[in-house]
Amino acid sequence: LLDWSGSQKIKKPALKTMKNAGVQVHFLNKPRFPFFFFHMQKRNHRKIAVIDGKIGYIGGFNIGEEYLGKKAKFGNWEDYHLRMKGEGVRDLQTLFTADLKRNTGSAELTPDVWPELQQGNISHKIYATDGYSLEKTYLANIAQAKERITICTPYYIPTKSLQQALVKARKNGVAVTIIVPMKSDHPLVREAAYTYYSELLDAGCLIYRFYQGFYHVKALIIDDHFSIIGTANFDQRSFFLNEEVNVEIDDKAFTKEVYAT
């Protein structure tokens, strides 16, 4: 499944090669009337891979040369991706199937891709959004913070409510740290983020810029036990336009590993 707008650089010979090999290739969210411009902006930003119905991958990595560090402009590409086994894999495959059916009208998968799965050992929830409710979820998580909030994002374009929530948390004694890239892969995005920084810095929040390549991590970490890792950026496209999917993980040991990275 390929997002139509985000996959325009794929050459026709490459698509033909895949199809000739038996690969099913479908484009999601093709522009259509009567809301042509809206559909041009709406993106399927989910990154899902499921292997044999047993192993799932989700996170920030797309499939492209820049993610392998092969574009000198960006250098090494810093990102988070989760490898999952257990019950959560079925949730990823269910979401993939729903996207397939919604865009093609059919989602026939053989029974063997839905194997019986063992229960996992880390409490988590897979949370898919489609241009709504993500802001509300982040606000609720930020309000629960007692000690620290860490936001990792390539694009910091918050809503007014989220900006105020972070300032309020800092004034209430919660340490707020935001990590963003030094380099930008989209024109004006970095400059747009600057308009929000002064208020955060005045409140005592810490903002770090990543210099060793391009920083594409999408994560929200609360205190010592709660982490959100997935596809959503901390920006208004992810909040109100894109189709996204995050994994919410409530586990101290796992969160400790995230902080260590």
Side-chain angles (χ1 to χ4, degrees), residues 194-219:
Y194 288 158
T195 63
Y196 299 95
Y197 290 167
S198 60
E199 184 180 21
L200 295 170
L201 293 170
D202 289 344
C205 302
L206 299 177
I207 301 173
Y208 292 95
R209 294 191 292 182
F210 184 85
Y211 284 79
Q212 292 78 36
F214 184 69
Y215 194 75
H216 197 245
V217 175
K218 301 104 164 34

Side-chain angles (χ1 to χ4, degrees), residues 81-95:
H81 221 62
L82 297 177
R83 181 181 188 272
M84 302 178 64
K85 297 179 71 174
E87 296 170 308
V89 177
R90 178 157 298 191
D91 293 334
L92 292 180
Q93 185 146 290
T94 299
L95 180 59

Side-chain angles (χ1 to χ4, degrees), residues 1-128:
L1 299 183
L2 303 174
D3 178 73
W4 181 87
S5 182
S7 301
Q8 290 303 296
K9 292 183 179 181
I10 298 178
K11 305 298 183 183
K12 288 184 178 180
L15 290 173
K16 185 177 180 180
T17 298
M18 287 192 288
K19 290 180 179 180
N20 287 343
V23 179
Q24 297 181 45
V25 181
H26 301 283
F27 287 93
L28 306 175
N29 295 332
K30 292 181 180 179
R32 62 185 185 273
F33 292 102
F35 305 110
F36 186 86
F37 181 75
F38 172 77
H39 290 294
M40 282 282 291
Q41 295 298 314
K42 188 173 181 62
R43 312 286 291 275
N44 188 300
H45 199 238
R46 296 165 182 162
K47 303 99 163 57
I48 295 172
V50 179
I51 314 301
D52 293 334
K54 297 180 179 180
I55 300 172
Y57 292 92
I58 178 176
F61 276 101
N62 294 301
I63 297 175
E65 287 189 344
E66 62 266 40
Y67 295 82
L68 301 175
K70 291 186 177 182
K71 287 196 173 182
K73 176 182 176 181
F74 300 120
N76 292 330
W77 200 276
E78 185 77 6
D79 219 328
Y80 286 175
H81 221 62
L82 297 177
R83 181 181 188 272
M84 302 178 64
K85 297 179 71 174
E87 296 170 308
V89 177
R90 178 157 298 191
D91 293 334
L92 292 180
Q93 185 146 290
T94 299
L95 180 59
F96 180 94
T97 304
D99 283 342
L100 177 62
K101 186 173 183 180
R102 178 165 51 84
N103 283 271
T104 68
S106 176
E108 296 182 4
L109 299 177
T110 57
D112 60 317
V113 303
W114 299 97
E116 184 176 349
L117 297 172
Q118 299 297 317
Q119 185 175 357
N121 56 7
I122 295 180
S123 175
H124 70 281
K125 179 174 73 173
I126 294 175
Y127 185 67

Side-chain angles (χ1 to χ4, degrees), residues 111-158:
D112 60 317
V113 303
W114 299 97
E116 184 176 349
L117 297 172
Q118 299 297 317
Q119 185 175 357
N121 56 7
I122 295 180
S123 175
H124 70 281
K125 179 174 73 173
I126 294 175
Y127 185 67
T129 59
D130 184 4
Y132 63 92
S133 77
L134 185 58
E135 179 198 29
K136 183 178 179 181
T137 298
Y138 281 4
L139 285 170
N141 290 320
I142 289 170
Q144 295 296 317
K146 294 180 174 59
E147 296 178 359
R148 58 178 169 171
I149 299 167
T150 303
I151 296 170
C152 309
T153 181
Y155 319 115
Y156 183 81
I157 313 289

Side-chain angles (χ1 to χ4, degrees), residues 207-257:
I207 301 173
Y208 292 95
R209 294 191 292 182
F210 184 85
Y211 284 79
Q212 292 78 36
F214 184 69
Y215 194 75
H216 197 245
V217 175
K218 301 104 164 34
L220 172 64
I221 312 163
I222 305 294
D223 294 335
D224 65 346
H225 66 91
F226 187 79
S227 308
I228 298 178
I229 295 175
T231 69
N233 299 310
F234 207 85
D235 70 358
Q236 296 188 37
R237 285 197 63 90
S238 289
F239 299 145
F240 302 123
L241 273 175
N242 291 345
E243 297 162 351
E244 306 281 5
V245 56
N246 287 339
V247 183
E248 300 179 355
I249 303 164
D250 194 349
D251 185 87
K252 284 190 174 183
F254 179 86
T255 302
K256 185 178 181 179
E257 285 190 42

